Amino acid sequence: SFFPFLFAYAETMPVNVETCRMKGLEAQKQGSLDEAITYFSKALSIDPNRPDLYNDIGVVYEAQGNAYQATRYYYEAINLDKKYLPAYSNLALLCQRQGNLAKAAEFFRKRIELGDPSDPWTKDAVEQLRILGKTFPQEKRWLDAYEAKLLERRAKVLEAKLKEQQDQFLADRLLKAEKYVA
């Protein structure tokens, strides 16, 4: 029969990390959470050094209501890459939903420290930490200092641009004056 040949062929087809991850994301989107975990796990078996895969599995476990496993996988993502930002956001939000506000504040702060201030997720973390700052004064003080540093940096950038424009203006005026004198 023709079908056994197809099965043998399908099992020998090369499987790569991205294919498994895409299938996992699709299964997740369709609500097939166990299938998503299977695909993400297969991807991890191919490349266990991908923090995004651990984070993906954590998201699925969280969607299943398994906060313990979700936390475990988020931490694993961070252990692989201390600068992997999505895991900090996910841990912060999970802790916040569980009522562990001190831990949530810790993860929001880390997300802010490592993130680009213009990134929407960083901005969201700032807003979440601002809310938590009402409960935790030390977080409000930290956030105030962070925002003061940002303003200081922006002021320096604007100052440099202004000086550049002033220098250009003076150079243009000098050139005009030299032409006028000549």
Side-chain angles (χ1 to χ4, degrees), residues 39 43 100 175:
Y39 281 119
N100 188 347
L175 188 61

Side-chain angles (χ1 to χ4, degrees), residues 56-79:
D56 291 341
I57 293 176
V59 169
V60 175
Y61 275 123
E62 189 173 347
Q64 289 181 325
N66 190 337
Y68 173 78
Q69 285 290 70
T71 302
R72 188 175 144 243
Y73 278 92
Y74 294 148
Y75 272 112
E76 193 62 39
I78 290 170
N79 287 336

